[in-house]
Amino acid sequence: MSNGTEREQWGSKIGFVLAAAGSAVGLGNIWRFPYITGQNGGAAFVVIYVALIFIIGFSVMLAEMAIGRNAQLNAVGSFRKLKGGMWPIVGWMGVIAGFIILSYYGVIGGWTISYILKSFTGLMDFAAQGEAGQVFGSFVSNIPQVIGWQLVFMFVTIFVVYKGIGGGIEKCCRVLMPALFILLLVLIVRSVTLPGAGEGLSFYLKPDFSKMNAGTFGAALGQAFFSLSLGMGCMITYGSYLGKKETLPGAAVQVCFLDTMVALLAGLVIFPAVFAFGVDAGAGAGLTFITLPNVFGQMPGGPIWSGLFFLLLFVAALTSAISLLEVVTAYIIDEIKMPRQKATIIAGILITLLGIPSALGVAGIIPKFAGRDFLDSADFLASNVLLPLGGLFIALFVGWVWTDGAKKEVTNNGSAPFGLYVPWLWVCRLVAPIAIAYIFITGLKW
Ligand code: PHE
């Protein structure tokens, strides 16, 4: 793409939307959303989360897409080209966040691969007794296994980015994303009809605002940014491969909508099962990997359902991991002028190494720090600090600094009217920055 040749482009607008949705829909929806919701009291958290997605998340997403498409560069280069000064630091923070997120994302990605195989090799026998928790516990303490699968996951991620984004991944998303959706619907039916499911449904769907505190907002904001892949230049990078003819606001709405649907559906699968099997809703990172096998164990054809589910979760994770690695790689290609292949391999290896402490922490080999293991700490730093901070500056940038350019970009130079332009502008100018700053200052509970 760089090095004198023309910049790579998506085949079509649908290709772009699918790739952006592929980035957004990932472990954040199915692994992270349920356990963060569980730790933050359930339905009241969900209400705040959805509101933040459509007000702040959508606005920042559109802002990122506009910046990237206009500049046609990576996150750092885009800020340098459009304004310069201190602004490239925002891009830099994004590259660092991408580095950190992918490090532990690769570890969880490895779990998904291992669980595909486990589905057919005995996991279901334990799950049929409601004992998937023990399986999970002994799996994550088996370091060689966990790191081995992390390496496999990272290898596949590196391979795809090495090859460039083209055909394969887009085609694969087109088939597998709808499949994931249908499978979630089937699983909802199974989960809500489990004996004892009702309690889970009311935890998930009946808001009890007394359970809310300042920390709830911080967690919801972090989850919104993480799930939509915002605040770290991912949508800037993907937008930079988009042609000038396509319209941006529609694409941003579609990505937000798809991402939220998948998260909400995943909650409908997980929470009834959590309560039916007496798992603690605040159990943390293992929640999905414990409750779902328990559900599959109760179903005829359990291994097939389970295998299929973890396969799709793997694919969802892969398309997100690719976007994370692409942010770092695009930066190295454009700014350090390295060929794509070399850039991908160097970034991929460093990120994989940084993931190892996360794997060791979950196994209890590295001690916890203030109640959080290494993975949780890295996740907290990236999702609850770096991403919202990135989002804050991105909103300010289009709201106050690069305002005319942004207006032209979101309306395709005036040829594609954007009805919500004025509200969007004011969300970027005031609402998002104030809300993020407020949540940040009051709600950042470590
Ligand atoms: N949105 C992805 C998910 O939900 C994670 C991600 C975060 C991807 C930031 C890219 C950038 O799993």
mmCIF file of all heavy atoms in Angstrom, residues 22-30 98 101 105 223 225-230 232 234 259 316-317 320-321 323-324 327 387, ligand 1:
data_model
loop_
_atom_site.group_PDB
_atom_site.id
_atom_site.type_symbol
_atom_site.label_atom_id
_atom_site.label_comp_id
_atom_site.label_asym_id
_atom_site.label_seq_id
_atom_site.Cartn_x
_atom_site.Cartn_y
_atom_site.Cartn_z
ATOM 1 N N GLY A 22 -16.710 -6.315 11.541
ATOM 2 C CA GLY A 22 -15.867 -7.441 11.959
ATOM 3 C C GLY A 22 -14.908 -7.008 13.057
ATOM 4 O O GLY A 22 -14.627 -7.760 13.995
ATOM 5 N N SER A 23 -14.418 -5.776 12.950
ATOM 6 C CA SER A 23 -13.550 -5.251 13.997
ATOM 7 C C SER A 23 -14.333 -5.051 15.280
ATOM 8 O O SER A 23 -13.895 -5.424 16.370
ATOM 9 C CB SER A 23 -12.941 -3.924 13.538
ATOM 10 O OG SER A 23 -12.385 -3.244 14.640
ATOM 11 N N ALA A 24 -15.528 -4.479 15.152
ATOM 12 C CA ALA A 24 -16.316 -4.154 16.345
ATOM 13 C C ALA A 24 -16.827 -5.416 17.036
ATOM 14 O O ALA A 24 -16.687 -5.588 18.247
ATOM 15 C CB ALA A 24 -17.479 -3.238 15.964
ATOM 16 N N VAL A 25 -17.428 -6.306 16.253
ATOM 17 C CA VAL A 25 -18.001 -7.516 16.857
ATOM 18 C C VAL A 25 -16.880 -8.493 17.161
ATOM 19 O O VAL A 25 -16.195 -8.962 16.252
ATOM 20 C CB VAL A 25 -19.015 -8.176 15.897
ATOM 21 C CG1 VAL A 25 -19.512 -9.488 16.485
ATOM 22 C CG2 VAL A 25 -20.181 -7.239 15.642
ATOM 23 N N GLY A 26 -16.682 -8.769 18.414
ATOM 24 C CA GLY A 26 -15.579 -9.661 18.765
ATOM 25 C C GLY A 26 -15.756 -10.165 20.182
ATOM 26 O O GLY A 26 -16.874 -10.253 20.693
ATOM 27 N N LEU A 27 -14.631 -10.456 20.807
ATOM 28 C CA LEU A 27 -14.691 -10.921 22.188
ATOM 29 C C LEU A 27 -15.368 -9.894 23.083
ATOM 30 O O LEU A 27 -15.960 -10.241 24.099
ATOM 31 C CB LEU A 27 -13.271 -11.167 22.690
ATOM 32 C CG LEU A 27 -12.521 -12.295 21.985
ATOM 33 C CD1 LEU A 27 -11.063 -12.316 22.433
ATOM 34 C CD2 LEU A 27 -13.188 -13.628 22.288
ATOM 35 N N GLY A 28 -15.284 -8.617 22.681
ATOM 36 C CA GLY A 28 -15.911 -7.554 23.467
ATOM 37 C C GLY A 28 -17.396 -7.789 23.662
ATOM 38 O O GLY A 28 -17.953 -7.474 24.712
ATOM 39 N N ASN A 29 -18.044 -8.341 22.651
ATOM 40 C CA ASN A 29 -19.494 -8.542 22.726
ATOM 41 C C ASN A 29 -19.868 -9.785 23.510
ATOM 42 O O ASN A 29 -20.828 -9.789 24.259
ATOM 43 C CB ASN A 29 -20.068 -8.684 21.318
ATOM 44 C CG ASN A 29 -19.675 -7.543 20.433
ATOM 45 O OD1 ASN A 29 -18.476 -7.324 20.190
ATOM 46 N ND2 ASN A 29 -20.634 -6.785 19.970
ATOM 47 N N ILE A 30 -19.123 -10.860 23.296
ATOM 48 C CA ILE A 30 -19.574 -12.151 23.813
ATOM 49 C C ILE A 30 -18.809 -12.563 25.062
ATOM 50 O O ILE A 30 -19.332 -13.226 25.936
ATOM 51 C CB ILE A 30 -19.468 -13.210 22.698
ATOM 52 C CG1 ILE A 30 -20.373 -12.781 21.539
ATOM 53 C CG2 ILE A 30 -19.873 -14.594 23.205
ATOM 54 C CD1 ILE A 30 -20.118 -13.515 20.256
ATOM 55 N N GLY A 98 -3.606 -0.205 20.974
ATOM 56 C CA GLY A 98 -3.764 -1.376 20.112
ATOM 57 C C GLY A 98 -2.788 -2.472 20.508
ATOM 58 O O GLY A 98 -3.123 -3.658 20.578
ATOM 59 N N ILE A 101 -4.028 -3.941 23.893
ATOM 60 C CA ILE A 101 -5.261 -4.744 23.797
ATOM 61 C C ILE A 101 -4.977 -6.075 23.099
ATOM 62 O O ILE A 101 -5.366 -7.133 23.565
ATOM 63 C CB ILE A 101 -6.384 -3.983 23.071
ATOM 64 C CG1 ILE A 101 -6.817 -2.754 23.890
ATOM 65 C CG2 ILE A 101 -7.601 -4.895 22.835
ATOM 66 C CD1 ILE A 101 -7.832 -1.866 23.217
ATOM 67 N N TYR A 105 -5.752 -9.918 24.142
ATOM 68 C CA TYR A 105 -6.786 -10.424 23.247
ATOM 69 C C TYR A 105 -6.330 -11.744 22.619
ATOM 70 O O TYR A 105 -7.114 -12.671 22.421
ATOM 71 C CB TYR A 105 -7.016 -9.382 22.153
ATOM 72 C CG TYR A 105 -8.408 -9.356 21.562
ATOM 73 C CD1 TYR A 105 -9.397 -8.560 22.119
ATOM 74 C CD2 TYR A 105 -8.722 -10.105 20.427
ATOM 75 C CE1 TYR A 105 -10.665 -8.495 21.568
ATOM 76 C CE2 TYR A 105 -9.991 -10.050 19.880
ATOM 77 C CZ TYR A 105 -10.956 -9.243 20.451
ATOM 78 O OH TYR A 105 -12.210 -9.196 19.910
ATOM 79 N N GLN A 223 -16.520 -0.050 28.168
ATOM 80 C CA GLN A 223 -17.071 -1.147 27.365
ATOM 81 C C GLN A 223 -17.546 -0.634 26.011
ATOM 82 O O GLN A 223 -17.338 -1.276 24.990
ATOM 83 C CB GLN A 223 -18.213 -1.836 28.122
ATOM 84 C CG GLN A 223 -18.959 -2.906 27.343
ATOM 85 C CD GLN A 223 -18.064 -4.061 26.891
ATOM 86 O OE1 GLN A 223 -17.000 -4.298 27.446
ATOM 87 N NE2 GLN A 223 -18.483 -4.762 25.843
ATOM 88 N N PHE A 225 -16.443 1.931 24.246
ATOM 89 C CA PHE A 225 -15.302 2.191 23.372
ATOM 90 C C PHE A 225 -14.644 0.886 22.928
ATOM 91 O O PHE A 225 -14.300 0.713 21.765
ATOM 92 C CB PHE A 225 -14.284 3.095 24.075
ATOM 93 C CG PHE A 225 -14.619 4.547 23.941
ATOM 94 C CD1 PHE A 225 -15.383 5.194 24.896
ATOM 95 C CD2 PHE A 225 -14.200 5.270 22.837
ATOM 96 C CE1 PHE A 225 -15.716 6.540 24.762
ATOM 97 C CE2 PHE A 225 -14.526 6.606 22.686
ATOM 98 C CZ PHE A 225 -15.287 7.246 23.654
ATOM 99 N N PHE A 226 -14.475 -0.023 23.868
ATOM 100 C CA PHE A 226 -13.833 -1.288 23.520
ATOM 101 C C PHE A 226 -14.647 -2.020 22.469
ATOM 102 O O PHE A 226 -14.142 -2.466 21.442
ATOM 103 C CB PHE A 226 -13.704 -2.163 24.775
ATOM 104 C CG PHE A 226 -12.958 -3.449 24.537
ATOM 105 C CD1 PHE A 226 -11.581 -3.495 24.683
ATOM 106 C CD2 PHE A 226 -13.632 -4.601 24.165
ATOM 107 C CE1 PHE A 226 -10.887 -4.685 24.462
ATOM 108 C CE2 PHE A 226 -12.940 -5.788 23.932
ATOM 109 C CZ PHE A 226 -11.564 -5.821 24.092
ATOM 110 N N SER A 227 -15.955 -2.124 22.718
ATOM 111 C CA SER A 227 -16.781 -2.931 21.844
ATOM 112 C C SER A 227 -16.888 -2.335 20.443
ATOM 113 O O SER A 227 -16.950 -3.063 19.458
ATOM 114 C CB SER A 227 -18.173 -3.092 22.458
ATOM 115 O OG SER A 227 -18.901 -4.031 21.727
ATOM 116 N N LEU A 228 -16.919 -1.009 20.357
ATOM 117 C CA LEU A 228 -17.024 -0.390 19.036
ATOM 118 C C LEU A 228 -15.654 -0.180 18.385
ATOM 119 O O LEU A 228 -15.565 0.405 17.311
ATOM 120 C CB LEU A 228 -17.745 0.953 19.140
ATOM 121 C CG LEU A 228 -19.240 0.898 19.506
ATOM 122 C CD1 LEU A 228 -19.779 2.295 19.734
ATOM 123 C CD2 LEU A 228 -20.048 0.199 18.421
ATOM 124 N N SER A 229 -14.596 -0.634 19.015
ATOM 125 C CA SER A 229 -13.228 -0.433 18.493
ATOM 126 C C SER A 229 -12.897 1.045 18.347
ATOM 127 O O SER A 229 -12.323 1.462 17.341
ATOM 128 C CB SER A 229 -13.034 -1.091 17.120
ATOM 129 O OG SER A 229 -13.404 -2.422 17.134
ATOM 130 N N LEU A 230 -13.263 1.854 19.337
ATOM 131 C CA LEU A 230 -13.072 3.296 19.211
ATOM 132 C C LEU A 230 -11.973 3.824 20.109
ATOM 133 O O LEU A 230 -11.596 3.206 21.091
ATOM 134 C CB LEU A 230 -14.365 4.019 19.594
ATOM 135 C CG LEU A 230 -15.532 3.806 18.656
ATOM 136 C CD1 LEU A 230 -16.726 4.599 19.156
ATOM 137 C CD2 LEU A 230 -15.176 4.217 17.242
ATOM 138 N N MET A 232 -8.865 4.499 19.451
ATOM 139 C CA MET A 232 -7.462 4.138 19.221
ATOM 140 C C MET A 232 -7.097 4.159 17.740
ATOM 141 O O MET A 232 -6.082 3.609 17.349
ATOM 142 C CB MET A 232 -7.157 2.767 19.815
ATOM 143 C CG MET A 232 -8.122 1.699 19.405
ATOM 144 S SD MET A 232 -7.380 0.081 19.508
ATOM 145 C CE MET A 232 -6.314 0.101 18.072
ATOM 146 N N CYS A 234 -8.619 2.829 15.182
ATOM 147 C CA CYS A 234 -8.932 1.680 14.352
ATOM 148 C C CYS A 234 -9.846 2.092 13.197
ATOM 149 O O CYS A 234 -9.619 1.734 12.041
ATOM 150 C CB CYS A 234 -9.612 0.635 15.230
ATOM 151 S SG CYS A 234 -9.849 -0.880 14.399
ATOM 152 N N ASP A 259 -23.173 -4.128 16.251
ATOM 153 C CA ASP A 259 -22.354 -4.439 17.415
ATOM 154 C C ASP A 259 -23.216 -4.544 18.672
ATOM 155 O O ASP A 259 -23.061 -5.471 19.478
ATOM 156 C CB ASP A 259 -21.299 -3.332 17.592
ATOM 157 C CG ASP A 259 -20.302 -3.673 18.670
ATOM 158 O OD1 ASP A 259 -19.532 -4.633 18.458
ATOM 159 O OD2 ASP A 259 -20.299 -3.019 19.718
ATOM 160 N N ALA A 316 -14.999 -14.319 15.163
ATOM 161 C CA ALA A 316 -15.305 -12.949 15.591
ATOM 162 C C ALA A 316 -14.061 -12.321 16.226
ATOM 163 O O ALA A 316 -13.726 -11.164 15.975
ATOM 164 C CB ALA A 316 -16.464 -12.951 16.581
ATOM 165 N N ALA A 317 -13.362 -13.110 17.039
ATOM 166 C CA ALA A 317 -12.153 -12.611 17.693
ATOM 167 C C ALA A 317 -11.063 -12.320 16.660
ATOM 168 O O ALA A 317 -10.355 -11.318 16.741
ATOM 169 C CB ALA A 317 -11.645 -13.627 18.716
ATOM 170 N N SER A 320 -11.453 -9.076 14.776
ATOM 171 C CA SER A 320 -11.108 -7.929 15.632
ATOM 172 C C SER A 320 -9.601 -7.841 15.834
ATOM 173 O O SER A 320 -9.013 -6.760 15.793
ATOM 174 C CB SER A 320 -11.785 -8.042 17.001
ATOM 175 O OG SER A 320 -13.176 -8.080 16.859
ATOM 176 N N ALA A 321 -8.984 -8.988 16.053
ATOM 177 C CA ALA A 321 -7.538 -9.013 16.276
ATOM 178 C C ALA A 321 -6.801 -8.466 15.056
ATOM 179 O O ALA A 321 -5.813 -7.730 15.175
ATOM 180 C CB ALA A 321 -7.069 -10.435 16.583
ATOM 181 N N SER A 323 -7.864 -6.227 13.041
ATOM 182 C CA SER A 323 -7.962 -4.762 13.003
ATOM 183 C C SER A 323 -7.010 -4.136 14.024
ATOM 184 O O SER A 323 -6.453 -3.068 13.779
ATOM 185 C CB SER A 323 -9.400 -4.306 13.228
ATOM 186 O OG SER A 323 -9.802 -4.503 14.566
ATOM 187 N N LEU A 324 -6.827 -4.804 15.141
ATOM 188 C CA LEU A 324 -5.893 -4.274 16.145
ATOM 189 C C LEU A 324 -4.466 -4.289 15.598
ATOM 190 O O LEU A 324 -3.724 -3.321 15.719
ATOM 191 C CB LEU A 324 -5.972 -5.113 17.428
ATOM 192 C CG LEU A 324 -7.211 -4.892 18.293
ATOM 193 C CD1 LEU A 324 -7.451 -6.068 19.231
ATOM 194 C CD2 LEU A 324 -7.083 -3.603 19.110
ATOM 195 N N VAL A 327 -3.785 -1.577 12.929
ATOM 196 C CA VAL A 327 -3.510 -0.212 13.396
ATOM 197 C C VAL A 327 -2.005 -0.034 13.620
ATOM 198 O O VAL A 327 -1.409 0.944 13.177
ATOM 199 C CB VAL A 327 -4.278 0.090 14.706
ATOM 200 C CG1 VAL A 327 -3.803 1.396 15.330
ATOM 201 C CG2 VAL A 327 -5.768 0.147 14.440
ATOM 202 N N LEU A 387 -8.626 4.341 25.784
ATOM 203 C CA LEU A 387 -9.658 4.504 24.750
ATOM 204 C C LEU A 387 -10.556 5.717 25.002
ATOM 205 O O LEU A 387 -10.759 6.534 24.109
ATOM 206 C CB LEU A 387 -10.495 3.225 24.580
ATOM 207 C CG LEU A 387 -9.750 1.952 24.161
ATOM 208 C CD1 LEU A 387 -10.739 0.824 23.863
ATOM 209 C CD2 LEU A 387 -8.863 2.176 22.960
HETATM 210 N N1 PHE B 1 -14.138 -4.257 19.317
HETATM 211 C C1 PHE B 1 -13.377 -5.449 19.546
HETATM 212 C C2 PHE B 1 -14.255 -6.435 20.319
HETATM 213 O O1 PHE B 1 -15.362 -6.110 20.688
HETATM 214 C C3 PHE B 1 -12.086 -5.187 20.248
HETATM 215 C C4 PHE B 1 -11.310 -4.064 19.665
HETATM 216 C C5 PHE B 1 -11.038 -2.935 20.412
HETATM 217 C C6 PHE B 1 -10.896 -4.111 18.333
HETATM 218 C C7 PHE B 1 -10.356 -1.862 19.870
HETATM 219 C C8 PHE B 1 -10.207 -3.056 17.774
HETATM 220 C C9 PHE B 1 -9.953 -1.929 18.541
HETATM 221 O O2 PHE B 1 -13.850 -7.513 20.601
#
